[in-house]
Every structure is written in structure tokens, then in C-alpha cells.
Amino acid sequence: MSKWFHWIKTYRAAAMAGVGILAALCLWGLFRLKFAESVSVMIPSGVRERVELFQSSPLNAKTFVVVTDKDPASALAGARRLREYLAEEKVIILPPAQGARFALSMVKAFPYRFTERDAQEALKFIVPQVIAAQMKDNFQNLMSFQGSFLKEMILLDPLGLAKLMGEKLKTFDVTSSMNYADGFLISKDGTAAIGVYEAAFDPGNLSASSRFKEVFNQARTKGILPASSRAFYLGAARYTEENSSIIRHDLKLITLLALLGLAALFAVFFRRKRALWIFALPFLVLAPSALVTYAVFGGISGITLGFGSVVAGLAVDYSIYMYFALCGTTKPVLKTARKLWPHLLYSYATSVACFAALLFSSISLFKQIAVFSIAGLTFALLLAVFVFPVFWKHLPPAPAFGFWKVPKLSKTAAAVILCLLLWGGMAGALKLQINGDLTSLNSVSKTFEEDKRVFDNAFFRQNTGAGLLFVFGDNEENALENNEEVGRRAGVPLAVSQVYPSQKTKEENLARWRKFWAKNGEKTRTLVRENALFWGLKPSAFKPFEYLTSLVQDPDVFDFTAFYNPFTQIGGRCAVVNMVPDSPVFSRLQIPGIKTVFVSAEAIRKDLASGMAAEAVKILFATLLLSGGLIFWFFKNKRDTLLTFVPVAGAFSFTFLVFWLAGVKVNLFILAFLPLLTGLGVDYGLFELIKHRAGKSTLYPQTALAAAALSTFIGFGVLALAQHAVLFIIGLSACVGIAGAALSALFLLPPLLEDE
Amino acid sequence: MKTFLMLLTLFLLSGPVAGQPAASAASERQEDSSVSAQQAAITARFAAVNTIESRFTQEKHMALLDKPVTSEGLFYFEKPGRIRWQYTKPFQNGFLIDGKKTYRLEKDQKEEQKNPMAYNLAAQLLAWLTFDLETLSKQYSVQFTPQGVILMPLKEGFISQITVTFSATNPQALSRVEIAETGGDKTVLRFINPKTNQKLPAEAFK
């Protein structure tokens, strides 16, 4: 250490330049990093498969464009005009027009989907009286205004068998209570028309999502919609845009407030240019830490980098302790640094141990955060001990603050307060509300929440009990076969199997169709001809029907995938996605030899909540065990080890108590905060313990602890003012947790440390 | 079955709407300023129509019919969205929109069509009968003739041409609409004594 100090003292300018160049290089590298974001890295492994499947479900990638109006006709007209406009602007891809070809192909596809039940139902259509009534109806329809449009359909299917095929398609309707008009889903009262589109861009791409928003807003100003109508869109593009815009807003606000807060802190506690090194520390530490993390994982999440403010808040403490230890001392810097080294090392080791606990988590993101934090703390310690002190020679005494002379509590009073705090914390922890909703990790505006409410009312109100059943297979055909088997075993025919039968089933259905018409065809065709003559229609016009019911049929070219594509590829396997009710029939379905996964919002919520609770216990246990073990190893004293955790207990108790009383719902990012809070608490506890052991040493002024706590508090406590849910919960936890930890360390721990 | 056929109708009707994202013909039409002026004048003329009452006959010329079939009926319209289209001969059927709900008419019965898709039909019919050029020009190219206009679909479909003749006695009304189909069939609507902007009978939309 002395050689290093001597070298750095001799080549001060070179050392400063070296630090600057290294920092600049790291920053350059940081800006070249590509951030990899996926919600699956943020959740426990036990829930991951379901979430990934949910993400790949047919509806998940769609953009929902909603037009509402008190007048149903205006809502539909507005939705239609908006669809045209968005397609013209090339921001959505329209499904192929559902023209005559689609309708006719639907009827021609029926023989390939002609089930036993259909055969039973079809018997009702070939009764002479029914045919007579149907032919009258056909004639009326032909003679009506819309007759021209229906003509081909009537000539192909004068019996109206398409109704049976239509029922198969109707079961696909994700919202069976909704109507379907001109490609739109219509709410029950008709006041909301919802278009479901493929976005013509990557909805996760910010600039593309912003362009969509711009085009969408222009539709309003260009008068595309009736004045009485309201329009909005939902989906990944909206989430991307909202998240980004809220983060941008948060960053501006937080940076400004943090700078103001830190400036105030500087003015109160430091007041010297040389102390600015402390405030430069985050910039010097975060970029290399990010590069290390990137090198370890081959990628880094923006959230990990966002966690940097938290790490910086903790890392800056080493430099603060060093700074205040050097203030006013006449002893050589090297000697003071050496004296402080054990404390900083203990503090560093326990913090590293706390973050290392995240490595035991099954959440990939937490492992990233662990590596990132450990790297950051390491760089911070090295700078605080080996670089900064060289620039802090002959520091005048730190400002003294009379108001810091807080009343000293008696040992009994401290113990009683601590017990009360622990009791309150325990009660709070038991009542803690966990928000297992994944969407809570996204941050959205109030307008978005209102839009979502309208959408849910119109679209999902009657479908809260819906779920997705994924049936796996080696390929599409195998997955379809397995899907049919699952339907048979569950005793409920699955809608997908009705419209997408396997090849084998198609052949069986076609054979059934031919057998049916071999038996009933001649009689039925004769009845159709007779009725046609009665209404003045040429019997020969019904040739398409005669061909359909003969032994020769056109190939099956029916394509429904533009409306509902049930296939998805997961992990090299193919799965068929079924929309089913959230009932035990499907949620507990287990069929030997066939892999099925049931996914519903409710199931994910429950899994996530229980997964988070398990993770919390695991992380907390590992944190306490690792840091406690280290402290005991350092001090070889059970009582002191336990007392070091008083600020930790105070921090957790205060946090849980406040969250309970304020009704704060925590999301899974509270898990990342547990080791941080432990680290901070242990850090403060260690400070007080070492100060107590050092007796009247000036190395450990209370001002140092107060300044460290306040810098951390300001550094990321301002995040509590953020709108983003993740940043908010980190900020709020920081505010409350640091307050609990610092107050416990400053007021409760000293009297408890007093010898009997 | 009737509902299902309506659904199919909508599938068929939706074709031209959904399948023509960029109607370049629209911009071409606007190049001719005289045509634009004529179109604007007609649009303004028909936009001033608040009510229509008319009897009509409908001739269906279809290859599958032994002979053309003629129907008769009544037509009422009131802004902004009330319409009654009712056949009286040979069948007594049709549909009614009372401003809020859509009904299917069958003799003296009316059955509510809860599915708002029925608006699709109404919108199409309304566009033709009230001669809503703004809506029509999105689906058809418009050629002006001394007696009226010829509408040519922008996209291939069932309809090959619609010939609209304005009433000689009432400039705000139509006297004849001929819908020619690609297969050679055609429908001819003739409006008898159309009255515009007059008070309609109370039972018109009941």
C-alpha cells in the first residue's frame, strides 16, 4: 500500500489522467452495449415457462385498436375509417379480405370437419318440411336487397349447413359474449368496436412504437373519427411507448432532484472541492461494473443498469467514511487509511455477501444485479482506499453540527423501542400485499389505466375465467393429434380441433361426409330441385350443391390462420394453443405421454406470488447467513454479531410497518431490495460497532454515518417520486428502509452496545 | 339461418372496404377540378336531405330465375340514422333501424337484431339511397352523366357497375338505381314519387 501511495503521490497528474481515461473508455464501452430486455429474466424459474408460453399466445402479439361511441353505428363506422387510415399509413397489417372466397371456402371445408355430431345435426336439415322452409327463405333472401351478395352461397349451400361450420368458428371467439362485425369485435352494448391487428413493426422498438402513436394521434386531428367518438390502442407498442415516456419523465425529474439534494448535502457536510471525488465516484464505478456484467452474462438488462443508482448510493459510503476519517487528522494519510482499512473491508465483505445471496435466486436478472453490484462495490472500495486518500491530505476538520448531539437513550428504552419496532414489522410482513400482476412491472399513465379499464369492460368482463391450454407435439401434425387426444380425455372437444383437425381426422370426417350423402344425397337433391322449381328457380343453378354432396370434393383450402393461428414454437417443439375456461378440467389436466401446460392470468398471478415469497425467504436467509457468518468470523463475538443486525432489523421492520400502514403493494423488485437493505443495515451496524470498539477515536464521527445515510437516501430515495412502478418501489423502499436503518444505528444501537 | 346469412353478407360486403388500403383512384379523381366542383355540388344537395319517403319497385334479373321477379315496397329515411326498408309484395319483409336498434321485419313482426353488424347493411344501403358521395367514393370511382352518375367498384367483386339516375322532378332524390353484377345479373330499383324533407308518418319507424 505504501509503495502504491508513494507512486500515486509522485505521479498525481498521471494518476488522475489514468483514472479519467479509464472512466472514459468504460463509458464509451457502455454506450456501445445493447440492452437485452425480456420479462422472463425478471421472474422465478418456476413461473418462467408459463409466462413465456403466455407471451407466445396468438393474442399477445396483437395491437388492439378500440373506438368507443355512445352510438353503436358511429363506433363501428369510426373503427372502420380508422382501420383504413392506419393501413394506408402502413402501421398495421390487415388480414386478407374476408370476401366471397373465404365464405365459400368455409362451406367447402365443412366435409373435412364433418364430425359425428354434425352428422346427427345435419339430419335435421334434410327433413322435407325444413328444406321447404329453407328454400323459401333462400328465395326471399335472393329477392331482397342483399340477395346478390348471397347468391353463390345459397347455390352452394341451399340447406344452410354453413351454420354448423359457423358454430365451430364461433367457438373460437375469445369473447363468446361479443359480436363480430366486419372484422371487429363488438362489445355487448355495441358502444365499443375493437380491431385486432398485426403491427407492421416490432412493437418492442421504441421509435417504431412512437411512430405508431404519432400516426394514431394524427387520425384524431385529421377528423378520421366522428367527433363524438373516442379512440385508443393497447398492446405491446403502447406499453413500449408509455414505459419509455414515463422513464424519460422520471429521469429528468430524478436527476434534477438528486442533483439538488446532493448539492445541498455537499454544502452542508463537505464544502470543499476535493470532496467532489466522492460525487464523481458513481460515474467512475458504474460503467466498468456494467462492462464486467456484460462480459459475464453476454448481455445486460437496462433494469440492472438502473439498479446502478442503488449500488452507487451504497458504494459512495466507503469514500465518505474515508473522507471524514481524514478530516482534521494530523496523522499521515497512509496511516489513517490503513487504520480504516479493516472497517471498510468488513463493510465491503458483508455487502458483497448480501448481494452474493442474489446468486442463489432463480431469477436471472437478480444474478446480473449481484454481479453488477459486487463489481461496483469492489471498484468503489479500491478507489476509496487506494486513490482518493492521496488527494485528501491535510483536510480541515469536518463541520460540527450541534443538532447531531441527539439525546442518548437508555439501554432499556432502546430495547423497548426495538421490540415495538420488531413487533410492528412482523405484523406488517404478515400483512404485506404482493402484486403478482406482471403488468405492474410496466409503468403507464393515468390515461392508459382509463383506456385499459374501458377495454377490459368491453372485452374481458365476461372472460375473466379464461385460460390458455398449450398442447405440445414434435411438429404441427403431431401437436394437432395430441390436441384431439387431450379433448377426448378431457371430455370436452377443443375448439382448435374442430377447425384444425389432424390429417387422420380429416380423412375420417370426409369418409363420414361421403357416407352421409351416399345415403341421403339423392333424396335431398331431389327435394332441393322440386322446391327450386316451385319458387321459379332453375334447378340446374344448384349444381354447386350437387357437387359438394357428391363423392368428389374440392381440396381443403380453408385458411383461418389470419384470424386465429393456433401454432406456436417453443423450445424447438410445436404447441397448439387452445382458449379454454379456467377450470380444474384443464388446469389439473395430466395425460401420460402428452405435454400440456395450462396458463391463465390467475394461475400466473398465484404462481408468481408464491414464487416471490419462496425467493424472498431464500434470498433473505442466504443474505443473513452469509453476512452474519462473516461478521462472526471477523469479531468472534455472538453478541456483537447479533447487535450489528439491529439496523437491519430496524430497516425491515420499519419498511414492512410503513408498507402495511400505507397499503403499499410490493412488486417482485422488492426482492432485489432485501439484500441491499441488509447490506446497508449491516454497514451502519458495523460502523457503530467499530466506533464503539475504537473508543474515542476520531476516525468514526457520527457525521460520517449521517452523511453516508443521507447521500444514499438522496441518491435513490428520490426514486420514490418516480412514476415507473419498479423505480418507485425501489425508491420508496430506499426512503423507508434507509430511514429505519440509519435511525436504528444512530439511536438504538449505541446504548445497546454499552457494556453491562 | 337468417342471422348467419347476414353474417355472410357482411363478410362479402367487407371485401372492398378491408381490401383497398390505398385508393389511388381517389387522388386521380380530384385532379379534375370541374368534376370536383360537380361532386361538391351534388354532395351539398343531397347533404341537405333530412327525410325521404318513397315507394319503390325492385326488379331482379337473375340467370337462375325463369323470369325476372318484381317486388314492391316502402322506404323511409330520417337523419341521422333512421331507416325503414320494407317489401310489401310478394313478401312482407325488410329491416328497420330506429336510431338505436336494428330490427328484421317479417310480416307484422319485428325481431331485434342485437348484433350491430346489421349496421353494415344499413350503411351500404344508406350510402346508395341517400347518395352519400363521400362514402361511395371510397369504394367506387364516380363518373358523372347528364342524368346522374355511374359508380364503378375500385376492386373486383360482385358488382360491376351501379348506374344512378336522379329524379327529374326532385333534384334531391333518385329515380332509378341499377346494380349490375359481374355474372350478368342485375337489380333495378325504381323510386316512385320520392318526397324529401317532409314530415314522415309517425308509424314510419315503429
Side-chain angles (χ1 to χ4, degrees):
Chain A
M1 192 186 255
S2 57
K3 275 185 185 171
W4 168 257
F5 266 46
H6 178 73
W7 183 89
I8 210 167
K9 214 161 68 181
T10 314
Y11 303 104
R12 252 171 89 125
M16 282 178 75
V19 170
I21 289 168
L22 273 175
L25 277 174
C26 289
L27 273 174
W28 176 76
L30 184 66
F31 285 119
R32 292 179 68 84
L33 292 186
K34 282 187 179 165
F35 297 106
E37 306 298 350
S38 164
V39 77
S40 62
V41 302
M42 302 181 202
I43 50 181
S45 57
V47 198
R48 198 170 302 148
E49 186 187 34
R50 285 187 176 187
V51 172
E52 282 176 355
L53 285 171
F54 186 70
Q55 283 181 308
S56 63
S57 67
L59 279 176
N60 201 49
K62 304 278 186 182
T63 298
F64 297 84
V65 174
V66 185
V67 177
T68 60
D69 198 300
K70 281 180 184 171
D71 174 32
S74 300
L76 188 58
R80 199 181 287 127
R81 289 169 70 175
L82 190 55
R83 173 175 64 186
E84 270 183 74
Y85 174 73
L86 295 175
E88 271 175 36
E89 293 292 327
K90 297 185 172 53
V91 290
I92 59 167
I93 300 168
L94 292 180
Q98 311 89 25
R101 193 175 295 171
F102 175 83
L104 296 172
S105 76
M106 192 180 84
V107 176
K108 287 175 183 172
F110 189 42
Y112 296 90
R113 290 153 184 82
F114 192 63
T115 62
E116 191 53 50
R117 186 178 167 276
D118 291 327
Q120 295 297 321
E121 287 294 312
L123 287 172
K124 296 175 190 167
F125 287 71
I126 56 172
V127 175
Q129 292 86 342
V130 175
I131 293 178
Q134 185 62 52
M135 288 298 284
K136 180 189 174 192
D137 204 33
N138 288 339
F139 183 74
Q140 276 196 29
N141 274 315
L142 282 169
M143 294 308 112
S144 72
F145 168 71
Q146 71 268 30
S148 304
F149 301 102
L150 296 170
K151 189 172 60 189
E152 275 196 74
M153 194 65 194
I154 289 170
L155 298 181
L156 177 66
D157 179 26
L159 304 181
L161 291 168
K163 188 182 176 189
L164 296 176
M165 184 67 186
E167 277 171 9
K168 293 179 198 291
L169 303 185
K170 203 177 169 189
T171 55
F172 259 95
D173 187 354
V174 284
T175 56
S176 53
S177 63
M178 293 185 78
N179 298 307
Y180 185 80
D182 192 18
F184 297 103
L185 294 165
I186 308 291
S187 64
K188 205 173 178 184
D189 61 1
T191 57
I194 303 169
V196 186
Y197 308 116
E198 293 284 343
F201 56 90
D202 172 14
N205 180 300
L206 176 60
S207 58
S209 298
S210 299
R211 152 128 176 93
F212 185 88
K213 184 186 174 186
E214 192 187 321
V215 169
F216 195 86
N217 288 340
Q218 279 171 0
R220 289 182 185 141
T221 52
K222 286 183 178 175
I224 301 291
L225 290 167
S228 58
S229 299
R230 180 169 169 262
F232 60 86
Y233 67 95
L234 293 174
R238 178 87 182 266
Y239 274 115
T240 303
E241 226 290 316
E242 289 265 335
N243 264 325
S244 159
S245 110
I246 283 185
I247 287 174
R248 276 197 302 264
H249 166 268
D250 282 349
L251 274 178
K252 278 182 204 160
L253 178 75
I254 287 164
T255 308
L256 180 70
L257 290 177
L259 283 176
L260 285 173
L262 290 174
L265 191 74
F266 181 83
V268 173
F269 286 100
F270 300 96
R271 303 177 198 167
R272 292 176 197 112
K273 273 193 287 184
R274 280 183 285 170
L276 285 174
W277 278 110
I278 295 170
F279 295 90
L281 187 123
F283 301 103
L284 299 173
V285 159
L286 295 183
S289 308
L291 292 177
V292 168
T293 312
Y294 191 85
V296 172
F297 293 96
I300 187 169
S301 160
I303 293 174
T304 304
L305 200 62
F307 205 74
S309 66
V310 180
V311 175
L314 194 61
V316 86
D317 290 359
Y318 306 138
S319 300
I320 290 177
Y321 294 149
M322 181 62 79
Y323 178 86
F324 281 104
L326 291 171
C327 276
T329 182
T330 51
K331 289 173 187 164
V333 167
L334 178 62
K335 200 174 173 186
T336 308
R338 270 190 179 147
K339 266 194 160 180
L340 202 64
W341 169 249
H343 165 225
L344 296 186
L345 187 64
Y346 294 167
S347 184
Y348 164 77
T350 49
S351 296
V352 165
C354 290
F355 280 112
L358 287 177
L359 293 170
F360 295 98
S361 167
S362 68
I363 301 173
S364 310
L365 182 69
F366 288 0
K367 291 180 180 168
Q368 267 191 32
I369 288 176
V371 170
F372 179 73
S373 306
I374 291 169
L377 291 175
T378 307
F379 290 126
L381 179 74
L382 294 175
L383 286 169
V385 177
F386 295 104
V387 179
F388 294 169
V390 180
F391 304 98
W392 287 340
K393 207 176 158 189
H394 307 307
L395 285 174
F401 300 102
F403 57 84
W404 281 122
K405 291 197 174 69
V406 287
K408 197 175 171 184
L409 294 173
S410 71
K411 197 171 204 170
T412 316
V416 169
I417 293 173
L418 183 63
C419 286
L420 284 172
L421 196 58
L422 288 173
W423 176 81
M426 200 79 84
L430 292 172
K431 303 271 184 183
L432 197 65
Q433 298 177 66
I434 296 174
N435 190 348
D437 187 355
L438 280 181
T439 56
S440 71
L441 300 182
N442 286 302
S443 276
V444 291
S445 61
K446 285 206 162 41
T447 318
F448 181 96
E449 283 169 8
E450 171 61 16
D451 291 349
K452 183 81 171 35
R453 193 187 59 72
V454 172
F455 177 76
D456 286 346
N457 267 341
F459 193 59
F460 280 125
R461 187 169 46 184
Q462 325 256 329
N463 292 275
T464 46
L468 298 171
L469 181 69
F470 292 78
V471 179
F472 286 79
D474 297 328
N475 49 49
E476 287 188 0
E477 188 57 26
N478 183 230
L480 287 175
E481 285 170 4
N482 287 344
N483 205 52
E484 286 165 357
E485 182 60 22
V486 166
R488 273 192 288 274
R489 297 284 190 95
V492 184
L494 298 170
V496 168
S497 296
Q498 299 280 305
V499 178
Y500 296 94
S502 67
Q503 202 52 43
K504 190 178 155 212
T505 305
K506 273 188 185 180
E507 284 163 16
E508 286 171 7
N509 288 339
L510 189 59
R512 186 179 293 112
W513 173 268
R514 285 173 178 162
K515 192 177 163 193
F516 182 90
W517 291 111
K519 190 177 171 190
N520 303 300
E522 196 44 52
K523 180 184 72 178
T524 308
R525 287 189 283 266
T526 305
L527 283 167
V528 168
R529 280 194 288 266
E530 286 171 4
N531 278 283
L533 277 172
F534 176 82
W535 289 107
L537 301 169
K538 291 175 184 164
S540 58
F542 290 91
K543 270 189 182 156
F545 171 67
E546 297 189 358
Y547 179 73
L548 183 73
T549 54
S550 70
L551 290 175
V552 187
Q553 279 80 30
D554 288 340
D556 180 21
V557 292
F558 182 60
D559 184 6
F560 198 61
T561 52
F563 304 94
Y564 185 91
N565 186 348
F567 301 109
T568 184
Q569 300 289 331
I570 304 278
R573 295 196 78 195
C574 181
V576 166
V577 191
N578 299 279
M579 292 187 184
V580 292
D582 185 356
S583 78
V585 174
F586 297 108
S587 60
R588 294 180 194 160
L589 193 69
Q590 281 190 331
I591 296 170
I594 299 177
K595 184 183 174 184
T596 59
V597 178
F598 177 77
V599 180
S600 72
E602 192 52 35
I604 288 181
R605 246 193 296 275
K606 278 183 189 163
D607 278 4
L608 205 53
S610 63
M612 278 171 65
E615 286 287 324
V617 170
K618 194 162 64 177
I619 290 171
L620 199 57
F621 184 72
T623 307
L624 295 176
L625 196 71
L626 288 171
S627 55
L630 266 176
I631 294 169
F632 183 72
W633 185 55
F634 292 150
F635 297 102
K636 309 284 187 297
N637 183 311
K638 283 183 206 162
R639 180 175 167 269
D640 284 356
T641 305
L642 272 178
L643 286 174
T644 313
F645 279 92
V646 165
V648 179
F652 279 117
S653 300
F654 197 52
T655 305
F656 292 146
L657 183 63
V658 170
F659 280 9
W660 170 40
L661 295 177
V664 176
K665 276 188 177 180
V666 298
N667 59 34
L668 57 87
F669 269 82
I670 189 77
L671 295 182
F673 202 72
L674 295 178
L676 176 84
L677 212 51
T678 309
L680 274 169
V682 166
D683 197 16
Y684 300 159
L686 272 175
F687 183 90
E688 288 296 334
L689 179 66
I690 293 171
K691 175 184 162 63
H692 174 72
R693 286 190 164 205
K696 294 193 172 175
S697 167
T698 55
L699 285 175
Y700 306 102
Q702 289 289 57
T703 317
L705 182 60
L710 277 172
S711 69
T712 316
F713 187 88
I714 292 167
F716 57 95
V718 287
L719 295 179
L721 298 169
Q723 285 180 32
H724 196 284
V726 172
L727 297 177
F728 168 77
I729 202 71
I730 289 175
L732 191 67
S733 309
C735 283
V736 183
I738 292 168
L743 293 174
S744 304
L746 286 167
F747 297 102
L748 304 181
L749 190 52
L752 292 171
L753 280 169
E754 296 284 329
D755 294 328
E756 294 295 333
Chain B
M1 181 61 198
K2 286 168 184 173
T3 309
F4 188 73
L5 279 175
M6 269 183 104
L7 173 66
L8 285 176
T9 307
L10 290 164
F11 270 131
L12 308 181
L13 281 172
S14 68
V17 178
Q20 45 164 8
S24 57
S27 58
E28 287 168 19
R29 281 197 307 275
Q30 288 173 351
E31 286 171 16
D32 189 334
S33 60
S34 66
V35 171
S36 292
Q38 199 173 359
Q39 183 166 327
I42 294 171
T43 303
R45 203 167 76 208
F46 280 88
V49 174
N50 291 315
T51 64
I52 307 174
E53 177 186 358
S54 178
R55 297 192 64 79
F56 69 86
T57 63
Q58 174 194 281
E59 277 173 30
K60 282 274 182 185
H61 300 259
M62 298 174 108
L64 65 90
L65 290 168
D66 289 332
K67 55 182 181 182
V69 173
T70 303
S71 309
E72 292 177 17
L74 288 163
F75 162 54
Y76 296 103
F77 163 75
E78 185 179 276
K79 261 188 180 174
R82 301 214 289 177
I83 183 170
R84 183 183 194 106
W85 181 262
Q86 179 156 27
Y87 296 98
T88 51
K89 279 185 187 173
F91 299 106
Q92 289 82 48
N93 60 356
F95 69 88
L96 163 74
I97 297 172
D98 66 1
K100 288 178 184 170
K101 294 177 180 173
T102 306
Y103 301 91
R104 181 183 171 86
L105 304 173
E106 190 71 47
K107 292 188 177 168
D108 297 331
Q109 306 285 317
K110 68 174 184 181
E111 183 191 349
E112 187 185 339
Q113 303 288 295
K114 287 185 179 175
N115 195 326
M117 68 187 179
Y119 280 105
N120 257 12
L121 272 177
Q124 188 72 51
L125 186 64
L126 269 176
W128 288 347
L129 301 182
T130 60
F131 206 62
D132 178 0
L133 260 184
E134 191 191 340
T135 303
L136 290 172
S137 60
K138 285 181 181 165
Q139 296 175 42
Y140 304 94
S141 70
V142 184
Q143 291 173 26
F144 294 93
T145 63
Q147 291 79 31
V149 295
I150 295 173
L151 303 171
M152 307 286 282
L154 295 172
K155 198 188 171 207
E156 199 178 324
F158 288 98
I159 297 169
S160 61
Q161 179 179 302
I162 300 172
T163 310
V164 178
T165 310
F166 298 138
S167 167
T169 52
N170 184 345
Q172 288 181 312
L174 310 180
S175 70
R176 188 175 181 275
V177 176
E178 182 180 313
I179 304 159
E181 296 170 31
T182 43
D185 291 351
K186 68 176 179 183
T187 303
V188 180
L189 294 169
R190 285 194 180 82
F191 296 93
I192 303 152
N193 191 21
K195 295 170 189 165
T196 52
N197 293 335
Q198 291 195 4
K199 196 170 187 316
L200 298 178
E203 68 278 9
F205 301 108
K206 280 189 177 169

